[in-house]
Amino acid sequence: MTQPDAFMAIADTNRRHLLEELRRGPKTVNELALGLPVSRPAVSQHLKVLLDTGLVSASSQGTRRIYAISNQGFLKLNIWLDQFWEE
């Protein structure tokens, strides 16, 4: 199975919203779901796509999963994009 494409993942408006929220700091699914007009299970599905692309990481804190931006995942995107700015 191939890894989902990060550009396809960020093409979705809801996923971009999740990334914006996570840019402000780590959050749980429930915290992230408060700002979206979709169900908590839908937020979990969007987070799975972001996890699979490496743009988001998850850690356990007791019974809760805390999601955060993965700098390494965005570094790959930045490296790819930067090649278009080099002269």
Side-chain angles (χ1 to χ4, degrees), residues 16 21 29 32 35 79 84:
R16 285 195 310 273
E21 287 298 314
V29 172
L32 291 166
I79 289 170
F84 295 99

Side-chain angles (χ1 to χ4, degrees), residues 1-9 48-54:
M1 183 184 217
T2 61
Q3 183 177 17
D5 180 62
F7 289 104
M8 292 296 288
K48 176 158 179 14
V49 171
L50 294 171
L51 282 165
D52 289 347
T53 61

Side-chain angles (χ1 to χ4, degrees), residues 16-37:
R16 285 195 310 273
H17 176 83
L18 291 172
L19 291 170
E20 284 292 325
E21 287 298 314
L22 291 173
R23 187 175 61 85
R24 294 177 180 90
K27 292 184 174 45
T28 63
V29 172
N30 287 335
E31 292 169 327
L32 291 166
L34 292 175
L36 286 172

